[in-house]
Amino acid sequence: MKTSNPLWREQLIRKMPETLAREVDIFEAEISLKKMGKLDDRLFAETRLRRGVYGQRYDNGERHDGKKAQQMAYPRRDLTKGPNTLWDAPGMQRIKIPGGGLNAAQLETLADLAEEYSDGIAHVTTRQDIQLHYIHIEDTPALMRRLAAVGITTREACGNSVRNVTTCPYAGVCQDEAFDVTPYSKALARFLLGHPDVQEFGRKFKPAFSGCNQHACALANMHDLGLVGVTRTENGEEKRGFAMYVGGGLGAVPYQAKLFDPFFPPEELLPLAQAIARVYAQLGEKKNRNRARIKFLIQDLGIEKFRELVLEERKTLEPDPRWTEYIQEALQVEEKPLKAAEKLQATGSDAFQRWLKTNIRPQRQEGYVVATVTLPIGDATSHQLRALADIARCFANESIRTTVEQNFVIRWVSESDLPELYAALEAVGLGAPGAGGIVDIVSCPGTDTCKLGISSSRGLAAELRRRLAERSFQLDEAVQNLHIKISGCFNSCGQHHVADLGFYGVSRKMSGYAVPHFQVVLGGEWENNGGTYGVPVVAVPSKNIPEVVTRLTDSYVAGRRSGETFQQFVKRTGKVALKKLLEDLTRPPVDQRDRSFFRDWGDPREYTLGDMGVGECAGEVVSTIDFDLAAAERQLFEAQVAFENGEVEQAGKTAYQSMLRAAQALVRTEFPRVTNEPDQIVGEFRTRFYDTKNFFDPFVGGKFAQYLFAAHEKAGAPYTADSVRYLIGEAHLFIEASHNYSNRAGASVLV
Amino acid sequence: MVLQHINVKLLLDHSGQIDFEPLVPVFHAWIQEQGRDELLLDVADYRHVHAGPGVILIGLEANYSVDNSGNRPGVRYNRKAAFDGSNQDRLKQAAAAALKVCRRLESDPRLNSKFRFNGREIEISINDRLLAPNTAQTRDAIQPELSPFLDRLFSGAGFDLSYDESRRNLFSVLVKSHGTFSAEELMKNL
Ligand code: SF4
């Protein structure tokens, strides 16, 4: 904890906006109350989450060091900052950056904070936030005051609240946009921040703005509230408006947002959002976290009913001047460039040419471009942030934004400045080419710092990046432009569903050991606002994933038809053939003396999901389950193939069967005479594994079991394409959870 | 002026590129061996970042790393928690911790003597802009604390100081000794 913490308030009191200063004072008081034992654990946990103060891996005071689970000797083991979360354990601070927009002073402050309170790294997330890791909770008020002094709040960065309002980073300069959505997104972010109608949600709520439908710059289709700028001509006059999408989300099972309204005027933006928030707060699930996102409410009600309720609610709202007071200004907002537009004269080195080709995008304003600064897996050092602040001042009138691909973009660069800009970026190691391509891999924090991580997404991303960067310009052009996105678990913070090559962390047993794996998810589409979600093909050990990438890309280059995209190639080839292509990579090496295969990327510890061991007795028990679970997986695969062939009914039935098969596998370990009768399987499963909580995931509880119960309840009713798509996703997760149970059970027999 | 959160970076000999990869298992092993004197928590690997913090062994009270900031590899001790005592005590504590970990890295057979102190250069910084803003006043205030400490550390061999003068950066001074010392010798001098 910093010695200077008590001094910052006095130091900055005149620089902080009053409301932000007050918020930090309140949070500081809450910290004191918690230390005195006067605040309930759960209440304090949600309080700090709503300030962006998040937990981090091992904060329960236990860490498996590769040999044993170590109890970490924190000085105050009896003081907690939430259930099962020790006070002294470092955590993560999420910093909301609305629309990703940062000015130079803010970049400099972030640099200072990363250096003084964290580990010298600021991490850009897939929702345009900045995260700092290894932060002590008692440093957070000082950190927040320093942010407040440059106009940044961490309020509602986490918790059951309205999260960062993400916005296309090209808004205002994009050639394809309807209009600049920035002022509208800022107005919505301001309006909803701390609004009384958004305090009672059962889960988080994520809004996003895009200026067009065809690009994935803000991924409006996969958000709780997606707003796409559209124009319409009325009486010969062009009118601005928004298409509104609701109930989208990646998460464990991806949901495409539903169209709420194809066009409404800006005057209705804030009141409609408020009405939606009210309906969600009133009717959204509160008790069962796993069904508490708005997408479930919309699924249960149906979009028509949901729309009806929202419009009814809209009528009851008291008019609020904030709904419209920004609109006149929004029509006039136009960022000003720093320099006059001049054409690029110089040709420059090969490296400069490569960077130009991949990292530069012309603006709609003639003579200006947007330059993308690629950050390796979203990380920037304090020194680099300061350099970016200088660059923003020198070239771009401080117009810099974070992106959902974990990069920065510098806007309003005069073309003639590009050689100088490139040199300035190169000098601090930020001149790498390949923006938005195969080397520019997106990854969530995974097992590095996330409590839910199963496999090392960042370790894998760093390894793939290193290998691909070495040969990126020898790669076929079609391969260079593919997207790789990696999540450390099924929660998909790395957005693996919308990548050509997506991966998410799972674990499997091999030769009696838990081994880190990644589920290979192919054929997702980044374009068209994340238009198509990929489908899991097969789980492969982490150490074989680089070979998976090589095989798939080689096979694409060799077998691609003229103009065929990777999605089209995946679709035409079919998952059966693709799975076959990767089949041998799913097996452990014959010679197992080299234990590195059983470990994760960048982590030399023996891999574990918790406790782990090996032994003959458990090996037998586990191998029986594993055998049955493999059969369930096969069945699920058949369901996917049927779905792909348009056999919706068949696909639904088979996916449901695969869940039953996995449930039966578990039941059989306790009740060998279980029949094939679905009611019996589900009944026994409920009694033995759900009611006892044995099957519960440590983080999401009974969520996956509930997928089985829901599928069983709906069995016999006709399936639709949508319902089968969700069912297949849920079946995947249920089978994964069964594997995890099997791993845990196997280990507990051994200990 | 109270000096807290002292960072000491012992610059390494590096004729060529240093591969930081072998540090990862070594730091993990140190967590397994966990001594009684301090709590070691995790390893953060930033090899992918240009001129970055390198590989960090995260501790509760302090971080240890082989840091590559400024493209100058060095063994860094970053004191996070406050330390009781006088400024001289704190300088001594931070320097001793950096030297201790440096010797440990130098003698670790898995690292093949790849991480060796260059014998002459030490960067000392204060990781707190409010306590020690990077100004001439801070330099003037710290110099009387630094001089006797460095005299003792280099047993009177003499040294040059060069300050990083950018207002934005942490207070930081690069000390170049006129003599050459091993980490062990410096440790004895403390
Ligand atoms: S995808 Fe999973 S591992 Fe990655 S950040 Fe999200 S919850 Fe954590």
Side-chain angles (χ1 to χ4, degrees), chain B residues 16 38 129 155:
Chain B
E38 67 181 313
R129 284 178 171 76
S155 53

Coordinates of all heavy atoms in Angstrom, one line a residue, chain B residues 16 38 129 155:
Chain B
G16 N 24.7 -9.5 -26.0 CA 23.7 -9.8 -27.1 C 22.3 -9.7 -26.5 O 22.1 -9.1 -25.5
E38 N 9.0 -13.5 3.3 CA 8.1 -12.7 2.5 C 7.2 -13.6 1.7 O 7.6 -14.7 1.4 CB 8.8 -11.7 1.6 CG 9.6 -12.3 0.5 CD 10.3 -11.2 -0.3 OE1 9.6 -10.2 -0.6 OE2 11.5 -11.3 -0.5
R129 N 5.1 9.4 -7.2 CA 5.3 10.8 -7.7 C 4.9 11.8 -6.7 O 5.4 13.0 -6.9 CB 4.5 10.9 -9.0 CG 5.0 10.3 -10.2 CD 4.2 10.4 -11.4 NE 4.9 9.9 -12.6 CZ 5.1 8.7 -12.8 NH1 4.6 7.7 -12.0 NH2 5.9 8.3 -13.9
S155 N 32.4 1.4 -1.4 CA 33.6 1.5 -0.5 C 34.6 2.6 -1.0 O 35.8 2.4 -1.2 CB 34.3 0.2 -0.3 OG 34.6 -0.4 -1.6

